[in-house]
Structures are given as C-alpha cells and as structure tokens.
Amino acid sequence: MKKFIIGNWKMNLNVHESSLFVAKLNQEVPIEKDIEVAIAPSLLALQPLSLQIDHKQMKLCAQDCYWRDSGAFTGEISATQLRGLAQYVLVGHSERRHVFDERDRDIRFKVQAVLRNGLTPVLCIGETQMERKDGDTEHVINDQIASGLLNVGSDQIGDVIIAYEPVWAIGTGDTAQISDIEQAVKIIRAQVAHMFGKEAGKNIAILYGGSVKLTNARPILCAEGVDGLLIGGASLIAPEFSGMVKIAGEVMKEQTEKEAK
Ligand code: PEP
C-alpha cells in the first residue's frame, strides 16, 4: 500500500510563478519509497508543468473537470483533455460543492468521466459545521459516498481515492481530532465495503484534508486507516510541503517495519 501527499494550489500562482515554485520543489521534495506525491496547480499551468516536473518525484493532479468528453460546453475542460497531462483529478472539492453549488449528480458523472479516461479521481467528501453540530456526519459521509460512487464498477473501485475533508476544517486552521478522523475513515470503509465488498472497503485509499501543516501531519498520517493527505494552503510553502513528504516516508517505513514483526 502507498501513501499519498497531494497539494491543492487552488486559484493561486500564475504560470510563471508555478514554474518557479516547481523548480523549488524539485530541489526540496524527497523521493520516498511508496510515497506518491502530486500537485494540483491551476489548469493553465498543467501543460508547462507536465514538461517540467520530474515524474519520478511528483505527478500532476487537476482541480476539477467536466463530465462530458467533448462538445459545446464553453469554458469547461474534460477528463479526455486532461489525458497525458494529469494523472489525478479532484472531484467534488468542498469549494466546488459550496462556492459553485456543484450537485451530487455532477460529482457522480465526473467520477465516472475521470475513470472512463483512465485517470484517478480523488473524490472529496465531508460534512459542514452545521451538519456536524446536528450529529449528521455519518449520514452525510454515507450519502456522499453512495452518490459519488454510484455506477462505479467493482473493477474500477480500486482506482478511486477518497479524500475526507470536513468543510469546517478547510482553510480555517481548525483540524479535526484524530479520533474524529479515524471514526470518519471507518464509516467510509464500511460504506465502500457495503457497496463493493469487504476487500474494496479495506483497500480503498483514504486521505485526510483540512488545515494540515508540517506540525500536525505526523499524527494524522499515523491515524488508523489514513493513507495520505490532501493539503491546501501549506502546499504553497515549499519547506512545509517537502517536510510532509519526508514525514510520510518516515511513517510508511515505521508502519512497514511494524507489520513485518
Ligand atoms: C484543500 O484545499 O483541500 C484543503 C484541505 O485546504 P487547507 O489545507 O488549506 O485547509
């Protein structure tokens, strides 16, 4: 099993700045065994960065895509157009759901489009502060998984990554408690198992996102069932991002040694 460290740059850095930042990452990000690193720059920067990055060091992730493969959809970009540029695509990020009012149906179609085009969807799910206060977290997670993965084939589920990102923790500096993350991960695995079988529930890669930084990355990476991090703000600070890749490598090594005993 691998661990994933994905940096979401959101709507930051122009093409030139992105290139300079990648040059810095290229110097700092270590290549760790079984750690998959990806960055999600602006769509504009994907093409030049695809020529600049060291593909052994990191991969590229798109922040979104449309679900049709081509056609009269002005301003949109399809998973088909991302082929050869990005390997991963974020789907249903909370900013897409809540700022752009993206619906469950769009998210489900996007997951299918990404898979259809041979890329890996990172399906983002998570409850709002209000839903959490109302005790609806489990219900929301189950619904978002059931809806987002509807019509995904049992032969495709192994290619899906889930990112649990409580909305109230994104960009706020508030990180979820380890026990809450572990509980959410358990719920996600049970729901995936319910839909696709026990093995799928056990094997699906689940990331945590929400105000992760260098100082809190280790306990989150060590949390039961967590396979990596989706990092927003801190991914734009080279020593923070590279430091988290290094920590992921250390945690992976510790866990592998523990399992071997
Ligand atoms: C994100 O953009 O997915 C995210 C988790 O952001 P931040 O790390 O800034 O909370």
Side-chain angles (χ1 to χ4, degrees):
M1 195 89 176
K2 280 189 210 166
K3 287 208 188 287
F4 297 84
I5 300 289
I6 304 181
N8 175 16
W9 294 4
K10 313 192 188 206
M11 199 174 68
N12 294 295
L13 307 187
N14 63 27
V15 173
H16 179 61
E17 290 163 343
S18 299
S19 170
L20 292 177
F21 190 61
V22 159
K24 220 188 247 180
L25 292 180
N26 182 259
Q27 298 296 311
E28 295 187 25
V29 172
I31 299 176
E32 301 280 355
K33 190 170 179 280
D34 293 327
I35 307 298
E36 177 90 338
V37 178
I39 50 169
S42 119
L43 194 58
L44 289 171
L46 276 179
Q47 202 277 336
L49 293 190
S50 73
L51 303 175
Q52 185 186 346
I53 57 168
D54 172 353
H55 292 261
K56 288 198 284 306
Q57 185 184 37
M58 64 181 71
K59 307 284 190 294
L60 289 174
C61 175
Q63 296 179 15
D64 186 31
C65 70
Y66 189 51
W67 52 269
R68 298 272 194 195
D69 287 341
S70 63
F73 304 103
T74 302
E76 290 297 325
I77 156 101
S78 70
T80 309
Q81 291 171 312
L82 290 170
R83 289 167 78 153
L85 292 181
Q87 191 162 317
Y88 299 92
V89 184
L90 302 184
V91 178
H93 188 279
S94 85
E95 286 144 23
R96 299 299 318 167
R97 290 180 193 260
H98 298 289
V99 182
F100 299 98
D101 218 9
E102 212 162 87
R103 313 309 323 155
D104 284 344
R105 169 183 168 276
D106 298 298
I107 292 163
R108 173 187 323 145
F109 287 173
K110 286 179 182 192
V111 168
Q112 288 160 23
V114 173
L115 288 168
R116 181 168 74 238
N117 282 283
L119 308 175
T120 301
V122 180
L123 172 63
C124 303
I125 61 157
E127 78 287 0
T128 63
Q129 180 70 282
M130 183 96 93
E131 289 162 341
R132 175 177 146 90
K133 272 199 184 131
D134 288 348
D136 279 342
T137 300
E138 178 163 0
H139 186 71
V140 169
I141 291 175
N142 280 334
D143 268 8
Q144 289 180 347
I145 297 279
S147 169
L149 299 182
L150 190 78
N151 298 335
V152 167
S154 49
D155 56 332
Q156 295 176 307
I157 188 66
D159 295 324
V160 175
I161 295 176
I162 308 261
Y164 171 61
E165 300 205 300
V167 180
W168 50 270
I170 298 179
T172 58
D174 287 340
T175 313
Q177 300 285 322
I178 299 297
S179 55
D180 289 339
I181 297 173
E182 289 181 336
Q183 180 60 21
V185 166
K186 232 186 235 168
I187 295 167
I188 295 167
R189 291 199 188 282
Q191 179 68 323
V192 172
H194 177 71
M195 294 174 75
F196 298 95
K198 221 168 146 187
E199 276 302 292
K202 193 170 135 228
N203 292 334
I204 192 154
I206 303 178
L207 319 185
Y208 169 80
S211 297
V212 183
K213 44 189 185 290
L214 193 53
T215 49
N216 61 18
R218 176 174 272 279
I220 299 172
L221 280 165
C222 291
E224 179 85 39
V226 171
D227 300 305
L229 305 172
L230 179 52
I231 307 153
S235 71
L236 289 163
I237 305 166
E240 287 268 325
F241 190 67
S242 52
M244 288 189 263
V245 175
K246 187 165 171 268
I247 290 174
E250 289 165 4
V251 170
M252 188 74 195
K253 200 165 158 244
E254 287 158 20
Q255 290 180 347
T256 312
E257 281 168 7
K258 205 166 147 197
E259 273 163 28
K261 273 185 195 161

